[in-house]
Amino acid sequence: MLSKPLLTLKIDVDTFRGTREGMGNLVRMLAAHQAQATFLFSLGPDHTGWALRRALRPGFFSKVSRTSVVEHYGLKTLMYGTLLPGPDIGRQCAEELRAVRDAGFECGIHTWDHTLWQDNVARRDAGWTSAMMRKAAARFAQVFGVPSRTHGAAGWQMNVSAFVEHDTAGYDYASDGRAMLDERGAMVRASDGPHRLRNGNTVLQCVQLPTTLPTLDELLGCEIDGKMLTVSNIADHILSLTADNRRDHVYTLHAELEGQKLAPIFEQLLTGWKTQGYQFASMAEYHDKVRHTDLPVCPITWGELPGRSGRLIVQGKAA
């Protein structure tokens, strides 16, 4: 009997508010659907207010207008690091973080300071990069009593030193990048998926499990196939992608979006994916499925995706 394709749910928890409010909502929703998932935590200060500096980047204003940033993140969150001090998420929310583990979900590292990492890591050196990653690793071990097995980069932003640090830290697998997508959000290359990375002549051991589906904030408010995607029809569009391309997928969601005002959309996705025959999985379960297969080796590659401003880590073509 053929096994069901996996729908790996990777949950990025970016902010203090997302940790306090959205995360618990997602735990309850997933438990109701008996769905496994991996939660990746921001473990240091919430400096979301610093992200307003991205206003100078091409495409930023169009994304803000499409996704109602203030509505989803809250005005107070957008003041952290500017008019208000940034709360220390790992210190102030340790009980909430452990509650996710106690509910039976895999937990891992997203970052130390989400905004600081996302806006700087691409041009920072090895010393800065390893220091940031080791602060997050130390805080994770402090909260959970064990080291993390995994990592998922904030904003899919990395550099070469960060990928090398994965092997130094002993991470078995991570989800730091994206599969290439077209304007509809469909995968450009059917071969994209689990892989290892090449750094010069060295093949890094940490297995990458790239996100293969678009995120809600990349699609909401976009016109695709002559139709404007809104909260009322976006779930149907994403479900059409997984129906047309029935394979193992990784979907990235956010505690600030699917865990709060966009929770009804995620509920539709969970129901739809079950109907399509997918099995919900954590990153650990996906890694277990592919770890003994002959994985392609790809170069570390930057690129752009429809609906997202700026460059991010994407899966390169295997040699």
Side-chain angles (χ1 to χ4, degrees):
M1 180 179 177
L2 294 176
S3 61
K4 293 181 177 181
L6 298 185
L7 202 304
T8 298
L9 297 172
K10 168 183 161 292
I11 301 170
D12 292 350
V13 187
D14 296 349
T15 65
F16 182 70
R17 182 184 181 189
T19 307
R20 279 279 170 90
E21 300 177 21
M23 194 169 70
N25 293 334
L26 287 173
V27 166
R28 288 186 287 273
M29 291 173 65
L30 292 166
H33 284 269
Q34 297 181 314
Q36 278 299 313
T38 297
F39 285 78
L40 301 174
F41 303 127
S42 299
L43 293 155
D46 181 349
H47 287 140
T48 303
W50 291 352
L52 296 180
R53 291 175 297 191
R54 293 186 207 135
L56 298 178
R57 292 186 184 177
F60 179 85
F61 281 115
S62 64
K63 179 183 175 184
V64 168
S65 63
R66 286 190 293 106
T67 56
S68 304
V69 169
V70 174
E71 178 184 0
H72 294 298
Y73 286 82
L75 185 59
K76 188 174 183 180
T77 296
L78 296 178
M79 293 181 181
Y80 288 149
T82 54
L83 299 178
L84 294 174
D88 187 319
I89 299 171
R91 180 174 292 127
Q92 295 178 233
C93 302
E95 289 187 9
E96 288 95 331
L97 300 181
R98 286 190 289 265
V100 175
R101 175 204 60 190
D102 295 344
F105 294 100
E106 181 184 29
C107 299
I109 293 171
H110 193 36
T111 189
W112 172 252
D113 181 323
H114 190 284
T115 305
L116 187 63
W117 179 272
Q118 183 170 345
D119 289 352
N120 290 277
V121 67
R123 58 183 179 274
R124 291 292 187 143
D125 62 16
W128 184 92
T129 301
S130 61
M132 283 276 286
M133 295 180 76
R134 290 174 188 182
K135 285 171 74 171
R139 176 59 64 78
F140 185 96
Q142 179 185 11
V143 171
F144 293 99
V146 295
S148 174
R149 291 182 64 200
T150 191
H151 180 273
W156 299 282
Q157 299 293 311
M158 293 283 280
N159 62 30
V160 172
S161 300
F163 287 118
V164 172
E165 179 67 19
H166 283 355
D167 280 11
T168 302
Y171 297 144
D172 297 315
Y173 51 93
S175 184
D176 298 310
R178 305 285 297 270
M180 288 300 299
L181 305 177
D182 64 19
E183 294 291 336
R184 296 185 65 253
M187 292 178 66
V188 172
R189 293 191 299 263
S191 59
D192 278 359
H195 62 279
R196 288 189 171 89
L197 291 170
R198 182 183 299 280
N199 175 31
N201 294 323
T202 302
V203 176
L204 302 177
Q205 291 306 299
C206 181
V207 174
Q208 286 290 329
L209 307 172
T211 294
T212 58
L213 293 166
T215 62
L216 291 185
D217 57 325
E218 291 165 356
L219 292 176
L220 273 172
C222 292
E223 184 175 328
I224 297 177
D225 297 334
K227 181 185 300 184
M228 185 70 70
L229 294 186
T230 68
V231 293
S232 64
N233 61 15
I234 191 171
D236 288 339
H237 178 74
I238 295 174
L239 290 170
S240 75
L241 299 175
T242 51
D244 293 341
N245 188 14
R246 187 176 166 80
R247 50 160 285 167
D248 294 335
H249 280 290
V250 176
Y251 176 70
T252 294
L253 59 147
H254 294 83
E256 294 75 16
L257 300 178
E258 285 92 337
Q260 297 188 92
K261 288 188 177 294
L262 301 185
I265 296 172
F266 187 50
E267 183 77 37
Q268 293 174 56
L269 290 173
L270 289 171
T271 300
W273 282 325
K274 281 200 296 187
T275 300
Q276 289 179 354
Y278 283 91
Q279 176 182 330
F280 298 118
S282 65
M283 287 168 56
E285 290 170 316
Y286 192 12
H287 176 251
D288 285 344
K289 179 176 180 178
V290 304
R291 60 188 300 186
H292 297 303
T293 61
D294 186 17
L295 297 175
V297 177
C298 303
I300 297 171
T301 305
W302 290 78
E304 296 185 5
L305 290 182
R308 186 159 294 278
S309 62
R311 286 159 55 83
L312 62 158
I313 295 294
V314 297
Q315 183 168 351
K317 292 184 179 180

